[in-house]
Amino acid sequence: EAQVTQNPRYLITVTGKKLTVTCSQNMNHEYMSWYRQDPGLGLRQIYYSMNVEVTDKGDVPEGYKVSRKEKRNFPLILESPSPNQTSLYFCASSPRPGTSSYEQYFGPGTRLTVT
Amino acid sequence: DAKTTQPTSMDCAEGRAANLPCNHSTISGNEYVYWYRQIHSQGPQYIIHGLKNNETNEMASLIITEDRKSSTLILPHATLRDTAVYYCIVSYPLMYSGGGADGLTFGKGTHLIIQP
């Protein structure tokens, strides 16, 4: 089944403790992206990647890192989480850039709480 | 990317057609209209997209006005499972997006409630 998976789905952690949220897709998509969703603010893009080893900042990249060493994986790293990073996080992927379609496939979400 | 305006919420009776409007008066020539929906904190789900012509797929129809300043998403026979927040997004395709933020801009959308 074509899908985007995220792990963990739920995480409660403390301020300053490094964490990684994994994202994997099995559709051979070149484009991947991370969003966060907060009440009243909608979805905002954190980072995106057009291909392996190619990443760039989105609208709200501060406090986050990403890497794209393999096509299928795009982990989100919080080196020193803070309470303002408490949010619902979504990973998404999309087929090769250059097509007319902007159909993005979203993962199920990771609910992160930083105390 | 062009900004969109959608009603905050709408109701529709089960089995009837749900018509969700979207205004995008500042849309530019190469920007597409995309519709996504999100069911209660699940990941957003792609529904349909179009440039100028009306489009139809197994989920919905998209009607775009001739001047492209507005569009309507039509769910022909709404069911209770269609209750969700529906997002209308106007965006360039990836090939034109160039540098800077490259993501879809999700506004607040329309909360569609299907009534039994």
Side-chain angles (χ1 to χ4, degrees):
Chain A
E1 178 190 355
Q3 60 182 349
V4 178
T5 57
Q6 295 178 226
N7 283 291
R9 295 289 313 280
Y10 302 90
L11 179 60
I12 300 174
T13 189
V14 296
T15 298
K17 185 176 181 182
K18 180 180 178 179
L19 67 91
T20 299
V21 183
T22 64
C23 173
S24 182
Q25 50 94 4
N26 62 0
M27 295 169 281
N28 202 36
H29 286 168
E30 299 200 1
Y31 179 91
M32 297 185 74
S33 179
W34 276 102
Y35 293 84
R36 61 178 288 174
Q37 186 172 30
D38 304 288
L41 296 176
L43 280 94
R44 295 177 292 168
Q45 192 185 46
I46 303 170
Y47 268 95
Y48 66 94
S49 169
M50 299 287 271
N51 211 328
V52 175
E53 302 292 0
V54 180
T55 63
D56 210 342
K57 297 177 181 178
D59 296 317
V60 288
E62 294 77 21
Y64 304 94
K65 287 176 58 178
V66 292
S67 69
R68 189 89 182 275
K69 294 184 171 57
E70 306 166 280
K71 198 172 189 179
R72 64 182 291 127
N73 296 322
F74 190 44
L76 180 69
I77 303 157
L78 285 71
E79 295 271 2
S80 182
S82 63
N84 65 12
Q85 292 178 297
T86 292
S87 188
L88 179 59
Y89 291 86
F90 291 104
C91 179
S93 72
S94 188
R96 179 205 299 262
T99 67
S100 67
S101 173
Y102 210 145
E103 179 178 349
Q104 291 201 22
Y105 296 82
F106 283 80
T110 295
R111 190 169 291 281
L112 172 65
T113 301
V114 183
T115 61
Chain B
D1 292 346
K3 183 178 178 180
T4 62
T5 304
Q6 299 178 253
T8 302
S9 65
M10 292 180 63
D11 287 350
C12 179
E14 189 177 17
R16 305 295 296 270
N19 295 276
L20 290 88
C22 180
N23 287 321
H24 32 79
S25 58
T26 59
I27 192 171
S28 64
N30 293 326
E31 287 185 304
Y32 283 71
V33 180
Y34 300 87
W35 283 84
Y36 282 75
R37 72 180 183 184
Q38 187 175 23
I39 299 172
H40 188 56
S41 296
Q42 297 179 18
Q45 177 188 22
Y46 165 83
I47 301 172
I48 198 167
H49 76 281
L51 181 62
K52 296 179 183 177
N53 300 322
N54 299 336
E55 302 287 345
T56 295
N57 63 20
E58 65 278 3
M59 287 183 69
S61 295
L62 174 61
I63 309 298
I64 303 173
T65 58
E66 193 169 341
D67 64 6
R68 303 211 322 127
K69 292 182 185 293
S70 67
S71 60
T72 300
L73 177 75
I74 301 172
L75 307 178
H77 305 287
T79 70
L80 297 178
R81 289 176 296 179
D82 292 323
T83 292
V85 177
Y86 287 77
Y87 298 97
C88 170
I89 300 164
V90 173
S91 180
Y92 293 102
L94 285 170
M95 64 184 294
Y96 292 122
S97 54
D102 198 47
L104 297 171
T105 300
F106 287 78
K108 296 186 177 175
T110 296
H111 188 194
L112 175 66
I113 300 170
I114 307 300
Q115 304 282 3

